[in-house]
Structures are given as structure tokens and as C-alpha cells.
Amino acid sequence: MTLSMQPAVSGWEPGLSRFNTHCSYCALQCALKMKVDTAQNRVIKVWGRRDFPTNRGLSCVKGQTAHQQINHADRLTQPLLREGKEGPFHEVSWDEALDFTAQQLQEVQKTHGADSAAVFGGGALTNEAVYLLGKFARVALKTRNIDYNGRYCMSSAAAAQNTSFGVDRGLNFPLSDILESRCILLVGANVAECLPPIQVFLKRAQKHGARLIVADPRHSKTSEIADLKLMPRPGTDSALALALLAEVVAQGGVDQDYLNLRVTGFDPVLAFARGFDAKWGEKITGVPDLLISQAANWLIRFKPSLILTGRGAEQHSKGVDTVQAFINLALALGQVGKLGGGFGTLTGQGNGQGGREHGQKADQLPGYRLIENQKDRETVAKAWGIEEKDLPRKGLSAQEILQAADTGAIKAMWVVGSNPAVSAPNGNRMKNALSNLSFLAVSDFFFSETCQAAQVVFPATLFAEEDGTMTNIEGRCVLRRAGVKPPGQARADWKVIVGLAQRLGAGKYFDFPNTEAIFNELARVTAGSRADYSGMNYSKLERNKGLFWPCPDANHAGTQRLFEYAFFHPDGKAKMRLVENKESAEMPDETYPYRLTTGRVLEHYLSGNQTRRIAPLMAAISEPFVEVSEKLSQRLGLNPGRKVTLETRRGKVSLAWKASAHQEESTLFVPFHWGGEKSVNLLTQEALDPVSRMPEFKVCAANLTQDGAKEI
Ligand SMILES: Nc1nc2c(c(=O)[nH]1)N[C@H]1C(S)=C(S)[C@@H](COP(=O)(O)OP(=O)(O)OC[C@H]3O[C@@H](n4cnc5c(=O)[nH]c(N)nc54)[C@H](O)[C@@H]3O)O[C@H]1N2
Ligand SMILES: Nc1nc2c(c(=O)[nH]1)N[C@H]1C(S)=C(S)[C@@H](COP(=O)(O)OP(=O)(O)OC[C@H]3O[C@@H](n4cnc5c(=O)[nH]c(N)nc54)[C@H](O)[C@@H]3O)O[C@H]1N2
Ligand code: SF4
Ligand SMILES: [Mo]
């Protein structure tokens, strides 16, 4: 069973306490209640909270077992340090680890310049940690090079939404608005496994008569409930969007009144679309033209119609253009800003949304302010009490930071809440990049593959061990309360940031007694920005089951729906931008005839450093596999008992395989939650989107051969 609904909790028992929290994993941030055996400091039961509107009592198998991380035997409980980068790690005191790290960072910067030190953050960190990490990089470390793993995640969608809407909030409406939709097109999103409670919302919408269209080259668990399945070849979604728009135009589905009132730039986009049709779409995508016409027809007829994209559409070297093409479609249909209709992107990480709002992205300052905008620089510098000229400028993106480590331009790095040794593309090169650094520090609560390349490891606290806020898939900021004590010497990320800032001589800018004080500063600094949190505080968040931004003053109830009346551009209108269809960076050829794509399974989370340690999750799936279409497996005569070798221009991996009855024939799919020899990122490529700098995780040319005598 993937989802469970637990009974409401009542009563009080001696020796036990309860606390409200949110799940440690994905962007839904399901509200959970945990029961604690206080003497043992152990969570003994977990419930999904029925009173919370995003999950309504639901939680998935990861949330139900998230507490098993808390007392896990593998937890890091003491800072680790080693001589050089090869020797054994020793447990050391916090002072020793922090002193050593500060000294290493300073030495590298003295010799190679301020920007030779980099910070690599993550979308699982709280808003408080993210805000402080961005401030730390610019004010204490004085480097321009800070970026985070969200670059691998939401960056293409964020860039396209900014262009069209003037702002980027994954969903610009509360999740429950899905229940109002009459037609939903999901592109490259497997919500049944990745955001399971949304599957329940989709089913409920279908019960009310909504049609669900799923575009995915695989027969995913999500497409099982689809009313219409489109199976584009990986990397062809922009062509699908263009063909759909051409059909909407041809079928008279353009809402001209809406465009005249609310949109600019539509004439050239519609004129361009007239040069295409469903037949052309079929040629590029492999989706039968009749299905493309039918999908367009449903989007026109069954309104409100809603288009949602996931990483399948976005993690491409043309991800921004692809998302843009779907936004153009949603605007042409006249749906964005209407209840139950429009466009949205399904954010992935627990704080993927807040993670990019508050300053750990190379080009942004808190509140989505831009680091290259003079007025934004002045506002933030003033709020921080520094000179504008001392604020570093835009730095490198995540993948470019790793590339710079490989070439030697970056010499020292602090990774906080990411495991790029597993999750970055072109893994062999990334391993070199990490070991090439003269100094690497990693903050994590479990020893990760990235820790293996570190000289210092800081033991972090888990979600249930420290207060902090997260901003979920809807743009709702929620407060997570601590309910258990951290093990050993484990310390919250924000405290480590403060400790290092003090040692770098910037302590006065980092004088915070607790996370609430950090949040209050964050709220003040974002006043007047696009992601305005200035009307939020901890008690208000708790009373209101979270608050949607912008929330610009103490009496403001937060903004659930962003585009009801206006978009965020100065003229209040949305913009269409003409995008042409492009090929993927690597197309299949004779040597590499298939399209390798990658993604997720329900039971594991991202690089797997957390979920590969949880027994029930490992019992469900312990190994990666390659999913092959039944037709292809028959054509190649694959033997069910034997492994296969998957090869691309960057490497080879030997894997178990399974056949999928319905799957686009050229598609090979591998989940990426494993490191070492089984890591599919040994095969993926570094082609980056020119705007978002997103790597092309979702398609590269590959070959597949049967292994010799190796039994599974
Ligand atoms: N169980 C679980 N849940 C998670 C996560 C996890 O690791 N595990 N991670 C979280 C995070 S950070 C994220 S970003 C989200 C991601 O959530 P999703 O975007 O839903 O996840 P993926 O599995 O990466 O990709 C979704 C689908 O895209 C399809 N796909 C692949 N290539 C293409 C293509 O070229 N075009 C189209 N149309 N589809 C394609 C895949 O077959 C897959 O079914 O999930 C979040 N939730
Ligand atoms: N091939 C392929 N690769 C991909 C993707 C794909 O679809 N295909 N998807 C990409 C996407 S969408 C994403 S989001 C990235 C994610 O990739 P990663 O950044 O590697 O994600 P995680 O595995 O969550 O890594 C987080 C690490 O930090 C730790 N951690 C979690 N929370 C905290 C915290 O609060 N503090 C500290 N200090 N540590 C913490 C965890 O234990 C874990 O080791 O992967 C990307 N890589
Ligand atoms: S992993 Fe996501 S869907 Fe599952 S319980 Fe946690 S927040 Fe909810
Ligand atoms: Mo992600």
C-alpha cells in the first residue's frame, strides 16, 4: 500500500508526548503528528494530520518511516576530521572541526582569491538555514560562488515562470484547487510515486468528471489512472507542446479575449504555431496525431484545464524552452489565474521552493531579489549592515561549481545538505572534481558518498530535532517543531554557520539566539520583495497551518492564488515568448541507439543517503534496475535471469532489468537513488540549459547489451 490514512489521535499517556511536524522528504511537506517515548527519546508512532489541507491525513511510506532516521545506528554524532584527504577519520570536538575548517578556507582564499571557496547548499534545508547560508557566503566567506542542488531540480521551470509571470512559485494556487479542474495534463511527472497524496487529489478530481492526460514515455504508476496517455520519446516535450498549441489554434480553442486582456507577446507565438500540426508532432514525439488532437480538444472543451510539469519535461538542455512552450499553451487556453485552471510546476524537495527564494542561488538574494540588480543589492546590503560594494556578484551555478573544482578554479568547498557524488551528472568526472579540491567539508546526518571525499564532516540534526520553516509545493510556509533531542554532538546547520562566521571574523552579522530570530530577520529582509514574508512570524504560522507568500504585513492572511487579478510584471500582464523546437544534446545513433532517462521510485529519495538505511524501504527495493519496453526486450532476446550492461559515451553500468508492457520503445529508464558502481549518473551527461544551467538528466543516447553468464 502506498498511502495510508490514520485515525485521529486523542488522549494522553504518561511518559509519552506528541508533537506536530512535517515530513523530512518531499515538497508536499505532509503534516505529521509523532508520538514520543520521552525517556527513550524515541518516536513510537506517526500519523498524517487530517486537519492539514495539503495532505488531509495522508502520508506515504517514506513519511511513515521518516522517524526511523532519528535513532538510526548510522547517525553521525560527532564532527569528523582526517589528515589530508586519504587517511582515516577521527572524531574531534566542534571547536577543533570549526577552527580547522575556518583556517583551511582562509588559507585557500588568501592564496587563490575569495571566489576559490564555494558553498553548495540544498533544498532540504530550512528557510532559516538557507537564508543564513546565503548570507554566510556573501558576508563571512565573501565569495560569489554559492549555489545549490535545486539547480538540478526546479531551475528550468523557475526561469520560464519568471519570464512569463514575473515570479516563480511552483504552484500559484493551493493544491486543493485541483479538485476544481475538469482537465489536467501532467507532463513528465510521476506523482503516484513522487508526490503520492496528489494522486489522491487527481482521482477525486476524476470522480467529479475531470479528464486526466499523462505525458510520459513510460507507463508510470501515475499514467495507470490516466484517461489519455501520451508517450513522447524522451526529450521531445517541446515538440509535443508546440503540436498541442497548433491544434488548439486549428480547433479554434484560443481564448482571444483573455489574451487581449491579460497577455502580451501572443501574436508571434500563435503565428508560429500555425506552421505546425499534430502530424508533425507525431513525427518528432512518436505520439499518434489523433491522440495529440484529442488532448488539445479536451484541454479546450473541459475547462478549467490545468497543465502541470515535472522533472520529466524540465531536466533537459532545453528545459526552460519546454516549460515556456507549455506556459504558452496554458495562456492561449485562457486558463492561468482561473480557479482550477492554468499552469503549475510540481516542486520536488522538501524546501525546494524556499530553498531558491532566500539566497543560496548564485544569482539571487533573499526574497527573490537579484544579485545583479543595483536597487536589490542596496536594499539587502543595507539590511545586512554592509556596504553594497562589498556584496559579491553573481557566481557559478551548481554544475559549474563542480566543473570549476575539476579544472582547479575552485579549491575549497562546503557542501551542506546535498550529495553531489551521487546526484550530479557525469559521475566519474564529478568524483574527480570532489577529490581534486584541496579542502572539502560536508554537513550531513548520515555519512554520504560525498563525505567520502571530505576532510571534515559536520554531524547535522534531523527535521524532528530542530525548529525551522519550510515552504512547500504550494508556496505555503510551514513551521516544523522539534520534538526529540539530537544524538550525541549533532548540531543544527544554522549553528554551524554561525560558528564558522564567528571564526571568519563576521560574528557580529550572525548574532542569533534561535531559529525564530533568524526567521524574523529573513522576514524583515524580504519586505517589499516578490517573495515577501514580512507579515509572517512563528506563532502566526502555527495558528494558520502555514501561510502563503507574499504576506506583506502583520494583518495579511497570505496570498493563496497569485494571478487572480494580475501577473507580477509591471504592466500586470503575462508574457508569451516564442520558442522553437530543438533536438536534445545527444540523439540516438548506430552505436547508442536508445534514449536513457532517469527518475525515481516511491520508496527511495534522491541520492538515497537517507532511504537506503531504512529497512522497510530497502525491503521493497534494494537495487536499481533498468526498465525496458517489452518489445525491445523481445527484440534483443533479453534473458530474465541475467543482468544487462547499459553504456553511454561516459561509462558502463551493469544492472538488473525488467520489462514494461507499455513503454515508448526507445526508452530505457533507471532510478538514480544509488551510488558507486550502480549509479546511473555515471552515464548521464553535463549538457546544460543555456539559461537555467540545468543538466540534461532526462535523456542521453545509450546502448544496452545482455551480460554474459552473470546471474542476478
Ligand atoms: N519517492 C520519491 N519521491 C520524490 C523524490 C524521490 O527521490 N523519491 N524526489 C522529490 C524531488 S526532489 C523531485 S524533483 C520530484 C520529482 O518528481 P517527478 O518529476 O515526478 O519525478 P521523476 O521520476 O524524476 O520524473 C517523472 C517522470 O518523467 C518521466 N520522463 C522521463 N523523461 C521524460 C521526458 O523526456 N518527457 C516526459 N514527458 N517525461 C519524461 C519519467 O518516466 C518519470 O515517470 O519528486 C519528489 N518526490
Ligand atoms: N540522474 C538523475 N540525477 C538527478 C535527478 C534525476 O532525476 N536524475 N534529479 C535531480 C534532483 S531533482 C535533485 S533535487 C537532486 C538532489 O540531489 P541531492 O542534493 O544529492 O539530494 P539528497 O539525496 O536529498 O541529498 C541531501 C543530502 O543531505 C542530507 N540532508 C538532508 N537534509 C539535511 C539537512 O537539513 N541538513 C544537512 N546538513 N543535511 C541534510 C541527506 O542525508 C543527503 O545526504 O538530484 C538531482 N539528480
Ligand atoms: S515523502 Fe512526500 S508524500 Fe511522502 S509523506 Fe513525506 S511529504 Fe508526504
Ligand atoms: Mo528535485
Side-chain angles (χ1 to χ4, degrees):
M1 195 176 72
T2 59
L3 282 167
S4 89
M5 172 82 82
Q6 300 283 354
V9 198
S10 65
W12 178 87
E13 295 147 82
L16 302 179
S17 67
R18 283 141 207 240
F19 68 105
N20 286 338
T21 185
H22 292 265
C23 177
S24 64
Y25 298 111
C26 85
L28 276 174
Q29 283 299 288
C30 289
L32 304 174
K33 190 179 273 293
M34 295 194 170
K35 182 148 94 174
V36 184
D37 177 334
T38 35
Q40 302 238 11
N41 192 42
R42 187 173 283 274
V43 173
I44 51 174
K45 201 161 180 185
V46 182
W47 294 265
R49 271 155 54 198
R50 282 169 183 271
D51 63 341
F52 203 80
T54 319
N55 60 309
R56 299 184 177 188
L58 297 165
S59 58
C60 79
V61 64
K62 291 186 298 307
Q64 289 150 28
T65 53
H67 63 289
Q68 294 186 20
Q69 298 171 85
I70 294 170
N71 308 85
H72 201 289
D74 294 352
R75 281 294 296 277
L76 293 166
T77 57
Q78 187 88 27
L80 303 175
L81 173 67
R82 63 174 160 190
E83 300 271 322
K85 291 188 67 193
E86 300 284 299
F89 279 105
H90 302 288
E91 292 191 343
V92 294
S93 70
W94 271 102
D95 275 338
E96 202 177 328
L98 290 168
D99 288 346
F100 181 78
T101 301
Q103 177 229 325
Q104 291 289 311
L105 291 170
Q106 278 171 324
E107 230 163 70
V108 161
Q109 288 186 306
K110 215 166 80 197
T111 323
H112 302 283
D115 296 333
S116 64
V119 177
F120 197 107
L125 305 178
T126 60
N127 285 321
E128 290 78 355
V130 161
Y131 169 78
L132 224 51
L133 198 61
K135 183 173 175 183
F136 169 83
R138 276 78 178 229
V139 176
L141 202 54
K142 300 186 169 72
T143 178
R144 62 167 72 196
N145 289 321
I146 172 168
D147 211 56
Y148 79 122
N149 66 6
R151 195 60 87 156
Y152 297 153
C153 183
M154 289 288 300
S155 57
S156 289
Q161 293 216 35
N162 272 325
T163 300
S164 269
F165 306 143
V167 71
D168 138 50
R169 202 178 85 183
L171 296 184
N172 48 70
F173 47 81
L175 203 57
S176 51
D177 279 8
I178 288 181
L179 300 176
E180 308 294 328
S181 304
R182 290 292 163 266
C183 182
I184 302 153
L185 168 60
L186 276 182
V187 193
N190 181 11
V191 295
E193 300 203 66
C194 296
L195 302 158
I198 296 187
Q199 184 89 340
V200 177
F201 278 91
L202 293 176
K203 283 186 190 162
R204 286 185 193 155
Q206 280 176 307
K207 247 191 196 155
H208 300 160
R211 265 89 173 156
L212 177 65
I213 311 169
V214 175
D216 193 313
R218 293 190 306 141
H219 178 74
S220 70
K221 296 226 162 76
T222 308
S223 46
E224 269 169 27
I225 64 160
D227 301 292
L228 179 57
K229 276 193 336 182
L230 311 176
M231 293 186 146
R233 300 179 184 117
T236 62
D237 299 275
S238 57
L240 180 66
L242 191 50
L244 284 167
L245 181 60
E247 276 295 314
V248 166
V249 173
Q251 295 180 29
V254 172
D255 186 339
Q256 198 59 51
D257 292 342
Y258 174 92
L259 291 182
N260 294 340
L261 202 66
R262 302 206 59 181
V263 182
T264 57
F266 49 85
D267 277 334
V269 176
L270 298 180
F272 182 69
R274 285 192 189 94
F276 299 86
D277 59 18
K279 279 229 164 331
W280 170 83
E282 173 172 346
K283 231 174 35 208
I284 311 282
T285 67
V287 178
D289 63 339
L290 282 178
L291 298 192
I292 297 177
S293 306
Q294 186 174 8
N297 183 264
W298 284 7
L299 288 166
I300 299 166
R301 264 173 56 210
F302 303 117
K303 285 183 176 166
S305 54
L306 174 64
I307 302 172
L308 297 171
T309 59
R311 303 304 85 77
E314 300 164 13
Q315 289 172 322
H316 292 275
S317 60
K318 52 177 170 170
V320 178
D321 280 359
T322 302
V323 177
Q324 182 68 60
F326 282 104
I327 292 177
N328 289 348
L329 177 62
L331 289 171
L333 288 159
Q335 295 299 289
V336 187
K338 302 234 172 104
L339 181 66
F343 176 86
T345 299
L346 299 165
T347 305
Q349 298 184 84
N351 197 27
Q353 182 67 47
R356 64 184 186 277
E357 292 164 5
H358 297 303
Q360 62 173 340
K361 197 161 172 254
D363 55 340
Q364 288 180 357
L365 290 167
Y368 275 146
R369 289 198 168 95
L370 297 176
I371 206 159
E372 292 297 336
N373 176 297
Q374 188 57 24
K375 201 161 152 269
D376 286 354
R377 293 174 62 78
E378 282 163 13
T379 308
V380 174
K382 189 163 165 234
W384 284 350
I386 60 167
E387 299 275 326
E388 178 275 320
K389 67 173 175 38
D390 293 333
L391 192 60
R393 294 205 161 251
K394 177 178 162 179
L396 297 172
S397 71
Q399 190 61 20
E400 290 164 315
I401 287 180
L402 296 172
Q403 289 167 348
D406 189 41
T407 58
I410 285 188
K411 301 275 182 205
M413 184 155 79
W414 182 22
V415 176
V416 191
S418 182
N419 188 10
V422 176
S423 55
N426 197 6
N428 282 320
R429 177 166 181 215
M430 293 308 109
K431 226 179 288 161
N432 275 342
L434 292 173
S435 51
N436 203 24
L437 288 163
S438 348
F439 177 74
L440 173 65
V442 179
S443 291
D444 208 309
F445 31 72
F446 291 122
F447 194 87
S448 68
E449 288 79 358
T450 305
C451 292
Q452 284 167 14
Q455 206 172 349
V456 174
V457 177
F458 296 124
T461 50
L462 271 170
F463 69 111
E465 296 163 354
E466 180 62 49
D467 291 349
T469 62
M470 308 283 279
T471 303
N472 81 354
I473 192 165
E474 309 165 284
R476 183 198 303 260
C477 178
V478 298
L479 178 60
R480 252 178 8 191
R481 284 291 192 193
V484 288
K485 291 189 222 59
Q489 301 277 311
R491 193 176 274 188
D493 295 314
W494 73 269
K495 290 182 184 158
V496 185
I497 297 170
V498 170
L500 275 179
Q502 286 166 343
R503 284 163 176 81
L504 293 172
K508 68 172 177 167
Y509 303 105
F510 294 83
D511 186 13
F512 301 99
N514 51 34
T515 58
E516 190 165 3
I518 305 170
F519 186 83
N520 291 340
E521 181 177 301
L522 176 162
R524 268 198 315 278
V525 173
T526 61
S529 72
R530 282 176 291 175
D532 190 334
Y533 282 52
S534 61
M536 299 184 194
N537 59 53
Y538 271 18
S539 61
K540 192 172 163 191
L541 286 173
E542 218 153 28
R543 273 197 319 277
N544 290 282
K545 303 198 170 80
L547 289 163
F548 290 80
W549 64 261
C551 180
D553 64 70
N555 297 321
H556 199 284
T559 313
Q560 296 205 9
R561 299 184 182 87
L562 281 186
F563 308 139
E564 266 179 303
Y565 307 109
F567 293 95
F568 276 53
H569 289 302
D571 61 2
K573 294 194 175 187
K575 274 189 199 144
M576 275 200 197
R577 181 175 68 85
L578 195 156
V579 287
E580 293 183 20
N581 180 52
K582 287 189 210 90
E583 284 195 339
S584 300
E586 248 183 34
M587 295 297 279
D589 58 20
E590 270 180 24
T591 324
Y592 301 103
Y594 311 116
R595 289 176 163 92
L596 170 65
T597 191
T598 60
R600 294 153 168 82
V601 293
L602 170 71
E603 291 83 359
H604 290 283
Y605 192 68
L606 299 175
S607 72
N609 191 37
Q610 293 167 265
T611 50
R612 278 185 273 124
R613 299 171 199 276
I614 307 294
L617 303 178
M618 282 305 271
I621 298 190
S622 60
E623 290 258 323
F625 54 85
V626 50
E627 213 168 60
V628 184
S629 80
E630 209 163 81
K631 269 197 196 151
L632 182 62
S633 70
Q634 284 163 358
R635 191 147 63 76
L636 297 177
L638 298 185
N639 181 329
R642 290 210 187 137
K643 291 198 173 186
V644 290
T645 294
L646 198 53
E647 184 172 359
T648 67
R649 290 187 173 83
R650 290 148 297 278
K652 273 187 196 181
V653 174
S654 172
L655 292 169
W657 68 276
K658 59 186 187 188
S660 170
H662 309 282
Q663 176 158 309
E664 191 283 316
E665 211 183 320
S666 68
T667 303
L668 305 171
F669 171 86
V670 184
F672 81 101
H673 313 291
W674 286 267
E677 289 176 350
K678 297 175 198 155
S679 173
V680 73
N681 273 330
L682 296 173
L683 307 180
T684 51
Q685 56 174 332
E686 290 181 77
L688 300 183
D689 183 290
V691 175
S692 67
R693 321 307 284 165
M694 164 76 83
E696 190 138 76
F697 288 116
K698 285 292 192 270
V699 66
C700 65
N703 194 16
L704 178 89
T705 46
Q706 179 85 70
D707 281 9
K710 247 186 253 169
E711 294 300 317
I712 290 179

